[in-house]
Amino acid sequence: MLSRQLVRVMLVILMIGISQSSRAQWGMAGVTFLTFNPDAQSVGMAGADVAKSGWSGTHLNPAALSLDNDVEFSFPMNFDGTHPFFSTGWYTNGHITNYYYLTPRVGVRFNRLAVSYHLEYFGNGTQYITSQNSPEIIGEYHLYEYSHGLTASYELKEHVSIGLGLNYIKSKMGDQALFVGYKTPTRLTLDLGLLAKHSYSSSIGTITPSLGWSLTDFGRPIRYSISGPTDPLPMMMRGGIGLNFDIDKYLGEFRILSVSGYGGLSKLMARSEMVNTVEDWYISTEYKTVGPFESLFKTWDTFTHYNGQSWVSVSLGEQLFRHSGMEITILEILSLRLGRYFEAE
């Protein structure tokens, strides 16, 4: 009876990912490299692990940071699609050569407190400048973006943890010597998270449901020129549920089987509003970036924007991303992961 109920709950979790057609929203924000997820475990479950405690989804939910050992280190890396190994095409509608993504991180545990440092470095490749009258290369500049992050998770009670993250971001998308008025901006952002879970024992194993919530990259808009417009940061709000089942049977010291299912929703909290100003005989239009505090309350409605061809309306349902994932671990050594991610089109 218990196993049937477990299967039903797992199916419900996996069906959270049902989605409808909508529009891609990443063009509304700057420094979108912060939304990349290079971790194999987290990507294998389509980023649905906001309610999973562990080492992989630290930036998805800082409260989920949990270490099995007193000190842990990892070095995920990813190169452009031309590399024979460790490659992913981050850009689906274009290609930048020689880009790469490195995210080394180290974590330390002190009883109920876990602390980690990570570097997210995204090399956007080399850009070449040619002469106006010929293809002769007259200059070049290198593009890169990076974020230094410090994350801490504290177990308030046996079943509840809170998390806090602080990130220093730098984005070089041009060259001051070549573009008049260009600047290389830096920003500080804040991550917040909550995680609650509780274990229930039965005759065949242990069931642990979990609930997670996070708000990441909360910070001021970013500006790439002295007098130009600002872009909002890719602030994300996430919520998710999880269910883990550990069978109480062992082969030697290793648990034979663990099965987990996760589902979640995420929303980009970036918004720019169109402002019309009447000046003498004409109307000037500009976009004003909504601040981070305002975005927490003003981004839950339908908004209208110009997609390059026509004006379209995007409902709240079309702004939500759906994630679902499952993990099956055998003998605590081999893990099989399935995931499905629904993004606005």
Side-chain angles (χ1 to χ4, degrees):
M1 184 67 178
L2 180 61
S3 60
R4 291 182 179 179
Q5 293 178 350
L6 176 63
V7 171
R8 291 173 182 172
V9 174
M10 295 288 282
L11 289 176
V12 170
I13 291 176
L14 292 177
M15 290 180 66
I16 288 178
I18 295 175
S19 178
Q20 56 186 338
S21 176
S22 55
R23 182 193 69 88
Q25 304 170 58
W26 300 117
M28 294 188 296
V31 291
T32 53
F33 82 100
L34 295 173
T35 64
F36 296 165
N37 189 351
D39 187 88
Q41 182 179 14
S42 183
V43 171
M45 293 183 288
D49 49 338
V50 66
K52 174 180 170 57
S53 61
W55 176 242
S56 63
T58 303
H59 191 63
L60 298 183
N61 185 359
L65 173 62
S66 176
L67 306 179
D68 295 328
N69 304 292
D70 291 337
V71 179
E72 294 193 19
F73 174 79
S74 67
F75 198 158
M77 63 184 68
N78 204 292
F79 298 94
D80 66 271
T82 62
H83 199 278
F85 301 104
F86 310 108
S87 62
T88 296
W90 294 109
Y91 296 100
T92 57
N93 296 323
H95 182 71
I96 299 178
T97 59
N98 300 323
Y99 64 84
Y100 53 93
Y101 194 32
L102 307 177
T103 56
R105 53 190 175 180
V106 61
V108 183
R109 182 181 62 184
F110 307 94
N111 295 324
R112 292 189 174 187
L113 176 67
V115 181
S116 73
Y117 161 80
H118 69 269
L119 168 66
E120 296 184 46
Y121 187 93
F122 187 62
N124 278 306
T126 302
Q127 304 296 306
Y128 298 96
I129 303 172
T130 60
S131 172
Q132 295 181 353
N133 302 320
S134 70
E136 178 187 0
I137 298 177
I138 60 175
E140 66 178 50
Y141 57 95
H142 303 280
L143 306 183
Y144 61 84
E145 297 175 292
Y146 65 75
S147 170
H148 294 281
L150 188 64
T151 302
S153 173
Y154 184 74
E155 187 178 350
L156 287 177
K157 298 181 179 180
E158 184 179 357
H159 310 298
V160 180
S161 298
I162 60 172
L164 177 67
L166 186 64
N167 309 293
Y168 173 79
I169 301 166
K170 184 174 182 179
S171 176
K172 183 181 180 182
M173 301 300 292
D175 192 284
Q176 293 174 320
L178 300 172
F179 302 101
V180 177
Y182 172 82
K183 59 183 296 186
T184 300
T186 60
R187 283 292 180 271
L188 286 175
T189 67
L190 185 68
D191 301 334
L192 300 172
L194 291 171
L195 180 68
K197 59 181 180 178
H198 195 282
S199 297
Y200 301 91
S201 298
S202 67
S203 58
I204 60 174
T206 302
I207 298 176
T208 306
S210 58
L211 180 67
W213 172 89
S214 68
L215 179 70
T216 58
D217 295 313
F218 179 91
R220 295 188 299 115
I222 198 166
R223 188 192 300 271
Y224 286 94
S225 64
I226 296 176
S227 59
T230 59
D231 293 317
L233 296 178
M235 181 169 63
M236 294 287 293
M237 185 176 290
R238 299 177 176 90
I241 59 175
L243 187 66
N244 181 73
F245 179 59
D246 294 324
I247 293 180
D248 285 342
K249 292 185 179 297
Y250 295 83
L251 182 61
E253 298 180 353
F254 300 100
R255 188 186 301 273
I256 292 178
L257 183 67
S258 295
V259 180
S260 302
Y262 299 93
L265 298 173
S266 62
K267 184 184 183 304
L268 180 65
M269 308 294 288
R271 183 73 62 86
S272 295
E273 296 180 336
M274 186 175 63
V275 179
N276 295 321
T277 304
V278 178
E279 299 180 3
D280 296 331
W281 299 99
Y282 65 95
I283 299 177
S284 62
T285 301
E286 63 178 356
Y287 284 90
K288 179 182 178 182
T289 299
V290 178
F293 287 101
E294 292 180 277
S295 296
L296 296 177
F297 306 98
K298 298 181 65 174
T299 59
W300 299 98
D301 58 346
T302 298
F303 70 93
T304 303
H305 79 108
Y306 189 72
N307 65 1
Q309 297 179 344
S310 62
W311 290 94
V312 296
S313 295
V314 183
S315 66
L316 176 59
E318 293 172 321
Q319 299 172 48
L320 298 177
F321 306 129
R322 280 81 164 175
H323 314 255
S324 58
M326 175 180 284
E327 182 179 52
I328 302 173
T329 301
I330 303 172
L331 295 177
E332 303 181 30
I333 299 175
L334 176 64
S335 291
L336 305 176
R337 301 183 182 97
L338 302 173
R340 195 169 186 186
Y341 171 53
F342 296 85
E343 179 182 351
E345 296 179 353

